Amino acid sequence: MPLSSLLNQLRTPRKRMMKNNTVVRIVVSVLTIPLILLLIFLGGYWFLTFGLVIGILSFFEFAGMTEKKSAHPMKIAGLLSVLALIANSFFRFSGFLELLLIIVVVTLLIELFRNMGSAINNLGATYLGIFYIGLCSASLIGIREFF
């Protein structure tokens, strides 16, 4: 059996899988885009709930990716921080700088008493997740609701 025909046989399932993946992505897009547009149109608590769900899922996905790189982010403190940033952009219960100061002090104190690998890696992964996901999600809420 020639090498080229063997390689073609190995590539065929991959092409089928890629085609199937594309179909799934298109179907999911067709179903979710109208829902997202409806939530944007409705605004208020509907869009806040959407932002909170996106923030929660994104933070857990980010934390999982950083754990594969041998960091140990603070999942509970990070999740609560992301939720606080998003909720604060809607309810305005605290000043932004005060909330950031509380988040930084609390996470530093938690990491002080943890004994899980490198504290710098853990804090870096936690802060990157909090600020990258939390601030972007909070900005979506702020843009929709107040501008």
Side-chain angles (χ1 to χ4, degrees), residues 84-96 99 138 141-143 145-147:
L85 285 170
I86 296 170
N88 188 47
S89 71
F90 187 80
F91 295 111
R92 309 272 187 198
F93 55 81
S94 172
F96 180 71
L99 185 59
I141 302 296
I143 289 170
E145 297 300 322
F146 299 107
F147 297 111

Side-chain angles (χ1 to χ4, degrees), residues 67-143:
E67 284 178 341
K68 290 180 182 176
K69 297 292 183 182
S70 73
H72 301 283
M74 293 174 259
K75 290 182 182 176
I76 302 297
L79 176 66
L80 292 175
S81 300
V82 167
L83 293 177
L85 285 170
I86 296 170
N88 188 47
S89 71
F90 187 80
F91 295 111
R92 309 272 187 198
F93 55 81
S94 172
F96 180 71
L97 292 177
E98 291 84 2
L99 185 59
L100 286 183
L101 182 63
I102 291 169
I103 289 171
V104 168
V105 169
V106 168
T107 52
L108 284 172
L109 286 173
I110 292 170
E111 188 62 38
L112 183 65
F113 295 105
R114 284 178 54 181
N115 191 16
M116 298 183 75
S118 171
I120 292 175
N121 286 343
N122 299 344
L123 284 170
T126 303
Y127 288 147
L128 185 61
I130 290 170
F131 298 129
Y132 179 61
I133 293 164
L135 292 179
C136 289
S137 299
S139 296
L140 284 176
I141 302 296
I143 289 170

Side-chain angles (χ1 to χ4, degrees), residues 41-66:
F41 176 75
L42 293 174
Y45 289 110
W46 293 101
F47 193 67
L48 174 64
T49 304
F50 173 70
L52 289 171
V53 168
I54 294 297
I56 290 168
L57 294 176
S58 300
F59 184 78
F60 275 120
E61 184 175 352
F62 181 81
M65 288 189 308
T66 57

